[in-house]
Each structure stands twice: as structure tokens, then as C-alpha cells.
Amino acid sequence: MEVILAEHAGFCFGVRRAVDTVYEQIEKKKEDGRSIYTFGPIIHNEEVVRDLQERGVKVISSLADAEAISEAERGTVIIRSHGVERRVCESLKDLGFEVVDATCPFVKRIHTTVEKESEAGKSIVIVGNAGHPEVEGIRGWSCRSVYIIESVEEAEEFACKEGEKLCIVSQTTFNYKKFQDVVEILNKKGYNGSVVNTVCNATEVRQAEARELAARVDVMIVIGGNHSSNTRKLYEICRQECRMTYYIQTLGDLHLQLPETVRLVGITAGASTPNNIIEEVQNYVRINF
Ligand code: F3S
């Protein structure tokens, strides 16, 4: 029996890079014993966050948290892949922290665009979810007005000042089709603006690959947290293609009884599933069937 692991199973490039950065910092700091913090949980995965906690990494959620730390304890703060506002980085440095920036380069590119375009006189439109940390971070790189549009309905209602120049960007995880719809509505309204497509295709690639794999295999295993909406979506996509699709959180949930006829098993995983869990499942299936 053959087991095929989807190439883009689990962490996207930016999240993997951020998680790796934390482990690198843990190694680096072993000698000097300085404290390590992440600004917000590095990833929405309890096991990873717990593992990091056990290795002494603490989570701070705000500048107020950072200020409350005694000067002697102010070590390194790692910025996660979502990125943060410019003032957060500056304030952390002013407080005496060393800042290690693990912002995903695709998000960083949005920060740079927003900074440059707002300095050139444009107001910024972010197509994305207000309140999402990535959107809040992007907002914080503009020196001019920022508008956030979450839906086509909001785009229909949108109005800015006469003659105001706009630069439109999107949250990286925003649906590309919806982004296009919003841009089209704004264009129809005749706004004077430039559009920078900053949607990241990591999710789409993972889903397309899962669909293609599920269509080829006899059994499909999807690994990810119970509350992970992107894993549920992966499961639904795979289930449409392969009737024998299993949704598991860890190896412990896998109670496979495979018919003799099964030749090909496919495995994929949601965006916040760590590699070791994927490997465990993959090895188990390889060895036991
Ligand atoms: Fe991941 Fe970076 Fe895209 S964090 S989803 S690779 S923007």
C-alpha cells in the first residue's frame, strides 16, 4: 500500500518560518538565559504553544503587558507572521526589548506598500476583516486615513472625500474572488486609486492539492484541530472526492480498518497542524498497513 503526503500539508511558508524562528531563538538564548516572548501566540495550535511555554517562551498580548515586565526580564520579543503596527515594534525597542521580526514576507510587503503609498499622499483601503491582528498591523503602517472594507455590501456603501487618492490592498487570507468584487465596485464608483493584490495563495494551493489528491486515493486522512475552520474546509473538499475520508486531530483519533482493496492513502493537514503530528500519522499508516 502506498501513502502519499500532500506537499503543502500543514503550516504555510510564513507560519513555518515564524515557528522555526522561535525554536532558533530558544537555542540561541540557552547561553545567555535571556527571556523570550512572542507578541501574541505564534500559531493557533495549543500543543505548539504549550511546548514553547515548557521551553520558557511566554506570550505577551499588548504593549501594556510588555511595560509590566521588569527591566531585568526584558529579553527578546518575536513578532509572529501576522505582523504588527510600526509603533508596536518601536515601543518594544524603546522599552529595551530586542525585537526579532518573523512577520511573513508577504505581509511585510503590504506594510512597505502601505507606508510608501500613504507617504505619497494616498489613503489606504484594506479589504479584510476589521479587528483581525493582521489588518490591525497593516493599518498601523499608514500615516494617513485607513478604511477597512469587509464585504461587497460595505463596498457599495463606501464613500471617501472628493479627490481623495486611494491605495487598495487586501488581507493575505482574504478570498481572492471577494477581493476582486470589492475592487470592481470601487472602480465603478470612479475612485482614483491603485490596487495591489496582496492575497496569498497558500490556502488555495493547499485546497487544490487536497482535492486533486483525494480524487486519486482510496482513503484520505485530514489532520487538524477540531475548531480549525480551514481544516474543516479541507475535510469537506476531500470528502466530496473520496468517500473514505477521515478527520483526525492526532494519531490517537485514528482507528483505521482498511479493506484489503485499499492501495493508496492520501494525507493532508490544516494550516496550524505541526509537522511532528503529520509525520507520526504518516509513519503509523506506512508501518501498520
Ligand atoms: Fe502564510 Fe504568509 Fe501566506 S503567513 S498564508 S504564507 S501571507
Side-chain angles (χ1 to χ4, degrees):
M1 199 185 70
E2 202 189 330
V3 181
I4 305 174
L5 173 65
E7 197 188 324
H8 295 91
F11 295 173
C12 63
F13 153 78
V15 168
R16 187 181 311 267
R17 188 172 164 272
V19 173
D20 287 349
T21 302
V22 183
Y23 284 99
E24 275 160 29
Q25 287 298 319
I26 293 171
E27 284 308 308
K28 238 174 148 180
K29 301 288 168 187
K30 268 186 185 156
E31 294 107 55
D32 60 21
R34 290 183 77 193
S35 308
I36 304 178
Y37 305 90
T38 60
F39 202 82
I42 199 79
I43 179 174
H44 291 294
N45 180 287
E46 283 166 28
E47 282 188 51
V48 175
V49 173
R50 202 179 315 120
D51 181 57
L52 291 174
Q53 245 165 22
E54 280 163 13
R55 292 166 196 259
V57 178
K58 300 182 195 95
V59 178
I60 51 173
S61 306
S62 62
L63 282 174
D65 283 357
E67 276 164 26
I69 296 168
S70 72
E71 286 191 21
E73 286 289 307
R74 290 181 188 176
T76 299
V77 181
I78 300 158
I79 307 297
R80 60 185 171 172
S81 55
H82 288 323
V84 291
E85 298 134 83
R86 179 165 57 187
R87 73 176 182 96
V88 170
C89 279
E90 287 168 356
S91 303
L92 287 169
K93 284 181 194 159
D94 290 347
L95 285 169
F97 289 93
E98 181 197 353
V99 175
V100 173
D101 190 359
T103 304
C104 174
F106 300 134
V107 178
K108 199 69 229 162
R109 183 181 144 231
I110 310 179
H111 293 174
T112 315
T113 304
V114 164
E115 188 177 32
K116 271 213 304 233
E117 297 288 314
S118 64
E119 276 168 5
K122 290 183 186 166
S123 298
I124 304 296
V125 175
I126 307 171
V127 183
N129 303 113
H132 187 285
E134 182 192 318
V135 172
E136 290 309 305
I138 296 169
R139 181 208 283 270
W141 287 82
S142 171
C143 59
R144 290 185 175 268
S145 310
V146 175
Y147 304 99
I148 297 172
I149 298 182
E150 297 202 21
S151 61
V152 284
E153 290 76 24
E154 284 186 18
E156 300 281 6
E157 281 162 24
F158 177 75
C160 62
K161 294 183 211 100
E162 220 185 297
E164 194 172 2
K165 284 190 189 140
L166 302 176
C167 169
I168 306 170
V169 296
S170 66
Q171 184 181 340
T172 54
T173 47
F174 205 76
N175 179 285
Y176 179 59
K177 169 83 179 62
K178 272 206 229 161
F179 174 66
Q180 277 179 317
D181 292 345
V182 167
V183 168
E184 206 181 298
I185 292 168
L186 298 185
N187 279 343
K188 272 196 196 137
K189 290 189 173 208
Y191 286 124
N192 177 358
S194 54
V195 181
V196 188
N197 169 17
T198 50
V199 173
C200 170
N201 68 358
T203 311
E204 262 174 71
V205 168
R206 190 184 302 106
Q207 291 178 355
E209 199 191 23
R211 178 177 289 115
E212 190 260 333
L213 183 57
R216 283 167 53 205
V217 298
D218 304 305
V219 172
M220 189 74 195
I221 301 170
V222 182
I223 317 166
N226 239 344
H227 303 293
S228 156
S229 57
N230 80 82
T231 312
R232 184 146 295 283
K233 179 88 191 148
L234 270 184
Y235 169 73
E236 283 160 13
I237 289 171
C238 293
R239 185 75 176 77
Q240 277 173 7
E241 304 293 336
C242 174
R243 209 176 43 82
M244 273 207 276
T245 296
Y246 295 85
Y247 184 160
I248 59 168
Q249 295 204 63
T250 61
L251 180 58
D253 304 329
L254 189 64
H255 307 292
L256 274 187
Q257 281 187 338
L258 299 182
E260 292 272 306
T261 49
V262 169
R263 288 276 165 268
L264 216 51
V265 176
I267 300 176
T268 189
S272 45
T273 308
N275 251 350
N276 61 323
I277 297 186
I278 302 174
E279 300 251 306
E280 249 176 33
V281 173
Q282 189 186 6
N283 290 339
Y284 175 84
V285 180
R286 274 192 211 284
I287 293 166
N288 290 283
F289 294 96

